[in-house]
Amino acid sequence: MFVHELCGPWMKHPFWRNRFLLSTEQDLDRLRSTQIEYLWIDGSKGLSAPDSEPVQAIVEAPAAEAPPAPEAPKTTPLLQELERAAHICARAGLVLQSMFSDVRLGRPVERDSADRLVQQMHASIKRNPHALISLARIKTADNYTYLHSMAVCALMMALAQRMQMSEEEVRLAGLAGLLHDVGKCRIPLHILNKPGALTPEEWLTMQDHSRLGAQLLRPMDVPDLVLQACLQHHEKMDGSGYPGKLKGTQIHPLSRMTAICDIYDAVTSDRPYKKGWPPAQALQRMAQWCGDHLDKVIFEQFVQTVGIYPVGSLVRLSNEQLAVVIDATSNSLLTPKVRVFYCAQTRQPLSPAELELHQSEIRIISREDPENWGLGPLNSLWQP
Ligand SMILES: [Fe+2]
């Protein structure tokens, strides 16, 4: 196999390079004896990982009626879809705000407007999944809860599409994402919006949102699997989650998907009390939670969905320039489209230029943290 990156400090392994063709048993043994727990392999330059066990379908249907796997969708260029996605985000914010305040007042969720929103978002995800999921990552303090729900909805649909689920299942996954945190409407605002650590009592109150969400939706016209995702999205594979301390397959696959999308969006979002992790770093850290907390098979699919260099990631190139990933829809996850804008050697800005890495000799050599370079927000480099 071709090792694209050993994830961990270089001090923890005996190899002098971080990227190489692993071709001998001896090297494999040396690799196994290190403290490196995760690495990325490049299937285009060597063997791929053996097929993982498939995840069971989220809606059980007789095999004869199972829809054929959809063809690989033709994607719209990111820049083009970003404009449409921005309108969808703006509308979604308003729809979700009124939906959450309805629920807060004890009114039922308007299924029609939720379904319409899911349909519009689904259409955008089909055109180019990276537009909506990249935009939904940007949040301000006052709209966090709504935009988090929208972001999880977008991620869920992109993931379900990646897992070749039927159109109906993709929309069901979207609805689960949209409503998974609806129970937070019943959490006192001083706890929900508290900037900083919660006391143990406040934490217990906060944890109750998953049970409350399912309870709120039960009398409403909402599919059972969506109720279950509300109830189970904080369960962990090793049984250390809440509220039911469920383990492994006791947690429904749709809920395991929700857990991954929920965590990814939470850790990559800026909050008043903490800066979000860069997307690529978030994936690397989440990889370490697989097995104990997250479903490994679904997480692998999730990485394929957002790309190992998601849109907005800062990367250093082999020609000593810094660039931002502006489209991750290319053939290989390792060769996204980037916008070059900074010289790493002189630490001077360059006039921005786009570069298709899959058509170039230039490679990504590392992910970088914008803060280490004294660079401000990079959003203007990938947004229209
Ligand atoms: Fe939650």
Side-chain angles (χ1 to χ4, degrees), residues 339-369:
R339 181 166 288 133
V340 176
F341 70 100
Y342 198 82
C343 177
Q345 271 173 342
T346 62
R347 289 192 167 246
Q348 292 297 319
L350 301 169
S351 57
E354 288 183 12
L355 181 61
E356 294 271 10
L357 288 178
H358 73 278
Q359 293 171 349
S360 165
E361 293 283 288
I362 299 169
R363 297 171 291 107
I364 292 177
I365 55 168
S366 59
R367 292 171 254 265
E368 296 290 324
D369 186 340

Short mmCIF file of all heavy atoms in Angstrom, two decimals, residues 339-369:
data_model
loop_
_atom_site.label_atom_id
_atom_site.label_comp_id
_atom_site.label_asym_id
_atom_site.label_seq_id
_atom_site.Cartn_x
_atom_site.Cartn_y
_atom_site.Cartn_z
N ARG A 339 -6.74 27.24 -4.29
CA ARG A 339 -6.38 28.61 -4.68
C ARG A 339 -5.11 28.99 -3.92
O ARG A 339 -5.09 29.03 -2.69
CB ARG A 339 -7.52 29.58 -4.37
CG ARG A 339 -7.19 31.01 -4.80
CD ARG A 339 -8.42 31.91 -4.81
NE ARG A 339 -9.29 31.59 -5.94
CZ ARG A 339 -10.60 31.43 -5.86
NH1 ARG A 339 -11.21 31.57 -4.70
NH2 ARG A 339 -11.32 31.14 -6.92
N VAL A 340 -4.04 29.21 -4.69
CA VAL A 340 -2.74 29.58 -4.12
C VAL A 340 -2.77 31.06 -3.78
O VAL A 340 -3.28 31.86 -4.56
CB VAL A 340 -1.64 29.30 -5.17
CG1 VAL A 340 -0.29 29.76 -4.66
CG2 VAL A 340 -1.61 27.83 -5.54
N PHE A 341 -2.26 31.44 -2.59
CA PHE A 341 -2.36 32.88 -2.25
C PHE A 341 -1.21 33.38 -1.37
O PHE A 341 -1.18 34.56 -1.02
CB PHE A 341 -3.68 33.16 -1.53
CG PHE A 341 -3.73 32.56 -0.14
CD1 PHE A 341 -3.50 33.35 0.97
CD2 PHE A 341 -3.97 31.22 0.04
CE1 PHE A 341 -3.51 32.80 2.24
CE2 PHE A 341 -3.99 30.66 1.31
CZ PHE A 341 -3.76 31.46 2.41
N TYR A 342 -0.24 32.52 -1.00
CA TYR A 342 0.75 32.94 -0.02
C TYR A 342 2.04 32.16 -0.24
O TYR A 342 2.01 30.96 -0.50
CB TYR A 342 0.21 32.64 1.38
CG TYR A 342 0.88 33.37 2.51
CD1 TYR A 342 0.53 34.68 2.83
CD2 TYR A 342 1.84 32.74 3.29
CE1 TYR A 342 1.13 35.35 3.88
CE2 TYR A 342 2.44 33.41 4.36
CZ TYR A 342 2.08 34.70 4.65
OH TYR A 342 2.66 35.36 5.70
N CYS A 343 3.19 32.85 -0.11
CA CYS A 343 4.48 32.15 -0.23
C CYS A 343 4.97 31.79 1.17
O CYS A 343 5.13 32.66 2.03
CB CYS A 343 5.50 33.04 -0.93
SG CYS A 343 7.12 32.23 -1.01
N ALA A 344 5.16 30.48 1.40
CA ALA A 344 5.54 30.03 2.73
C ALA A 344 6.98 30.44 3.08
O ALA A 344 7.30 30.61 4.25
CB ALA A 344 5.40 28.51 2.81
N GLN A 345 7.82 30.58 2.08
CA GLN A 345 9.23 30.93 2.36
C GLN A 345 9.39 32.40 2.70
O GLN A 345 10.02 32.75 3.69
CB GLN A 345 10.10 30.56 1.16
CG GLN A 345 10.59 29.13 1.26
CD GLN A 345 11.32 28.68 0.02
OE1 GLN A 345 11.19 29.28 -1.05
NE2 GLN A 345 12.07 27.62 0.15
N THR A 346 8.80 33.27 1.85
CA THR A 346 8.98 34.71 2.09
C THR A 346 7.93 35.26 3.04
O THR A 346 8.03 36.39 3.49
CB THR A 346 8.89 35.49 0.76
OG1 THR A 346 7.57 35.28 0.23
CG2 THR A 346 9.93 35.01 -0.24
N ARG A 347 6.89 34.45 3.32
CA ARG A 347 5.75 34.88 4.15
C ARG A 347 5.11 36.14 3.57
O ARG A 347 4.76 37.07 4.29
CB ARG A 347 6.18 35.10 5.60
CG ARG A 347 6.48 33.78 6.30
CD ARG A 347 6.62 33.94 7.78
NE ARG A 347 6.60 32.64 8.43
CZ ARG A 347 5.66 32.21 9.27
NH1 ARG A 347 4.64 32.98 9.57
NH2 ARG A 347 5.72 31.02 9.82
N GLN A 348 5.01 36.16 2.28
CA GLN A 348 4.38 37.29 1.59
C GLN A 348 3.17 36.78 0.81
O GLN A 348 3.20 35.67 0.27
CB GLN A 348 5.36 37.91 0.58
CG GLN A 348 6.55 38.61 1.21
CD GLN A 348 6.13 39.81 2.06
OE1 GLN A 348 5.26 40.57 1.68
NE2 GLN A 348 6.74 39.93 3.23
N PRO A 349 2.11 37.61 0.73
CA PRO A 349 0.96 37.19 -0.07
C PRO A 349 1.31 37.14 -1.57
O PRO A 349 2.17 37.88 -2.03
CB PRO A 349 -0.10 38.27 0.20
CG PRO A 349 0.59 39.36 0.91
CD PRO A 349 1.91 38.90 1.40
N LEU A 350 0.61 36.25 -2.27
CA LEU A 350 0.77 36.16 -3.73
C LEU A 350 -0.56 36.54 -4.34
O LEU A 350 -1.59 36.44 -3.68
CB LEU A 350 1.08 34.70 -4.13
CG LEU A 350 2.32 34.06 -3.52
CD1 LEU A 350 2.31 32.55 -3.80
CD2 LEU A 350 3.57 34.68 -4.11
N SER A 351 -0.58 36.94 -5.58
CA SER A 351 -1.90 37.20 -6.17
C SER A 351 -2.58 35.84 -6.37
O SER A 351 -1.98 34.91 -6.92
CB SER A 351 -1.80 38.01 -7.45
OG SER A 351 -0.99 37.34 -8.36
N PRO A 352 -3.83 35.70 -5.87
CA PRO A 352 -4.48 34.39 -5.86
C PRO A 352 -4.60 33.77 -7.26
O PRO A 352 -4.90 34.46 -8.21
CB PRO A 352 -5.87 34.70 -5.27
CG PRO A 352 -5.68 35.97 -4.52
CD PRO A 352 -4.66 36.75 -5.28
N ALA A 353 -4.33 32.48 -7.32
CA ALA A 353 -4.45 31.76 -8.60
C ALA A 353 -4.97 30.36 -8.33
O ALA A 353 -4.58 29.72 -7.35
CB ALA A 353 -3.08 31.69 -9.28
N GLU A 354 -5.87 29.90 -9.20
CA GLU A 354 -6.42 28.56 -9.03
C GLU A 354 -5.49 27.50 -9.61
O GLU A 354 -4.79 27.76 -10.58
CB GLU A 354 -7.78 28.48 -9.74
CG GLU A 354 -8.83 29.26 -9.00
CD GLU A 354 -10.21 29.16 -9.64
OE1 GLU A 354 -10.38 28.29 -10.52
OE2 GLU A 354 -11.08 29.95 -9.26
N LEU A 355 -5.52 26.33 -8.99
CA LEU A 355 -4.64 25.25 -9.44
C LEU A 355 -5.39 23.92 -9.29
O LEU A 355 -5.90 23.60 -8.22
CB LEU A 355 -3.38 25.26 -8.55
CG LEU A 355 -2.28 24.25 -8.82
CD1 LEU A 355 -1.70 24.42 -10.22
CD2 LEU A 355 -1.17 24.42 -7.78
N GLU A 356 -5.46 23.16 -10.38
CA GLU A 356 -6.07 21.82 -10.35
C GLU A 356 -4.95 20.83 -10.02
O GLU A 356 -4.13 20.53 -10.88
CB GLU A 356 -6.65 21.46 -11.72
CG GLU A 356 -7.82 22.30 -12.16
CD GLU A 356 -9.15 21.73 -11.70
OE1 GLU A 356 -9.15 20.78 -10.87
OE2 GLU A 356 -10.18 22.25 -12.14
N LEU A 357 -4.91 20.35 -8.79
CA LEU A 357 -3.76 19.50 -8.41
C LEU A 357 -3.72 18.18 -9.18
O LEU A 357 -2.66 17.61 -9.36
CB LEU A 357 -3.76 19.25 -6.90
CG LEU A 357 -3.37 20.47 -6.05
CD1 LEU A 357 -3.45 20.11 -4.58
CD2 LEU A 357 -1.97 20.96 -6.37
N HIS A 358 -4.89 17.70 -9.63
CA HIS A 358 -4.84 16.41 -10.34
C HIS A 358 -4.24 16.58 -11.74
O HIS A 358 -3.90 15.60 -12.39
CB HIS A 358 -6.21 15.73 -10.39
CG HIS A 358 -7.20 16.35 -11.31
ND1 HIS A 358 -7.95 17.45 -10.94
CD2 HIS A 358 -7.56 16.05 -12.57
CE1 HIS A 358 -8.73 17.77 -11.96
NE2 HIS A 358 -8.51 16.95 -12.95
N GLN A 359 -4.06 17.82 -12.18
CA GLN A 359 -3.42 18.04 -13.49
C GLN A 359 -2.02 18.62 -13.31
O GLN A 359 -1.45 19.17 -14.23
CB GLN A 359 -4.24 19.04 -14.31
CG GLN A 359 -5.60 18.52 -14.71
CD GLN A 359 -6.47 19.60 -15.32
OE1 GLN A 359 -6.15 20.78 -15.28
NE2 GLN A 359 -7.59 19.18 -15.88
N SER A 360 -1.49 18.54 -12.09
CA SER A 360 -0.23 19.23 -11.83
C SER A 360 0.77 18.28 -11.16
O SER A 360 0.39 17.27 -10.56
CB SER A 360 -0.54 20.41 -10.90
OG SER A 360 0.63 20.91 -10.34
N GLU A 361 2.04 18.64 -11.27
CA GLU A 361 3.10 17.89 -10.59
C GLU A 361 3.17 18.30 -9.11
O GLU A 361 3.75 17.61 -8.29
CB GLU A 361 4.46 18.21 -11.22
CG GLU A 361 4.62 17.73 -12.65
CD GLU A 361 4.88 16.23 -12.69
OE1 GLU A 361 5.99 15.83 -12.32
OE2 GLU A 361 3.96 15.47 -13.06
N ILE A 362 2.59 19.47 -8.83
CA ILE A 362 2.66 19.99 -7.46
C ILE A 362 1.75 19.17 -6.55
O ILE A 362 0.64 18.81 -6.93
CB ILE A 362 2.24 21.48 -7.46
CG1 ILE A 362 3.19 22.28 -8.35
CG2 ILE A 362 2.21 22.05 -6.05
CD1 ILE A 362 2.72 23.69 -8.63
N ARG A 363 2.28 18.85 -5.34
CA ARG A 363 1.50 18.01 -4.41
C ARG A 363 1.22 18.78 -3.12
O ARG A 363 1.93 19.74 -2.79
CB ARG A 363 2.31 16.76 -4.05
CG ARG A 363 2.62 15.84 -5.18
CD ARG A 363 3.60 14.75 -4.74
NE ARG A 363 4.94 15.25 -4.45
CZ ARG A 363 5.46 15.36 -3.24
NH1 ARG A 363 4.78 15.02 -2.16
NH2 ARG A 363 6.69 15.81 -3.08
N ILE A 364 0.25 18.27 -2.38
CA ILE A 364 0.05 18.80 -1.02
C ILE A 364 1.07 18.11 -0.13
O ILE A 364 1.18 16.88 -0.16
CB ILE A 364 -1.38 18.49 -0.52
CG1 ILE A 364 -2.41 19.28 -1.32
CG2 ILE A 364 -1.51 18.77 0.98
CD1 ILE A 364 -3.86 18.99 -0.94
N ILE A 365 1.82 18.88 0.65
CA ILE A 365 2.76 18.20 1.56
C ILE A 365 2.25 18.20 3.00
O ILE A 365 2.64 17.37 3.79
CB ILE A 365 4.21 18.75 1.48
CG1 ILE A 365 4.25 20.25 1.70
CG2 ILE A 365 4.86 18.37 0.17
CD1 ILE A 365 5.67 20.76 1.90
N SER A 366 1.41 19.16 3.35
CA SER A 366 0.86 19.10 4.72
C SER A 366 -0.39 19.97 4.82
O SER A 366 -0.61 20.85 4.00
CB SER A 366 1.89 19.60 5.74
OG SER A 366 2.27 20.92 5.43
N ARG A 367 -1.19 19.67 5.85
CA ARG A 367 -2.27 20.57 6.24
C ARG A 367 -1.64 21.60 7.14
O ARG A 367 -0.69 21.30 7.86
CB ARG A 367 -3.28 19.82 7.11
CG ARG A 367 -4.07 18.79 6.48
CD ARG A 367 -4.81 18.06 7.59
NE ARG A 367 -4.18 16.77 7.80
CZ ARG A 367 -4.63 15.67 7.23
NH1 ARG A 367 -5.68 15.71 6.48
NH2 ARG A 367 -4.04 14.53 7.43
N GLU A 368 -2.18 22.79 7.16
CA GLU A 368 -1.64 23.84 8.01
C GLU A 368 -2.76 24.48 8.81
O GLU A 368 -3.90 24.52 8.35
CB GLU A 368 -0.94 24.91 7.16
CG GLU A 368 0.26 24.42 6.38
CD GLU A 368 1.45 24.09 7.26
OE1 GLU A 368 1.66 24.79 8.27
OE2 GLU A 368 2.18 23.11 6.95
N ASP A 369 -2.39 25.02 9.98
CA ASP A 369 -3.36 25.75 10.79
C ASP A 369 -3.19 27.24 10.48
O ASP A 369 -2.10 27.79 10.68
CB ASP A 369 -3.07 25.47 12.28
CG ASP A 369 -4.13 26.07 13.17
OD1 ASP A 369 -4.84 26.99 12.71
OD2 ASP A 369 -4.26 25.61 14.33
#
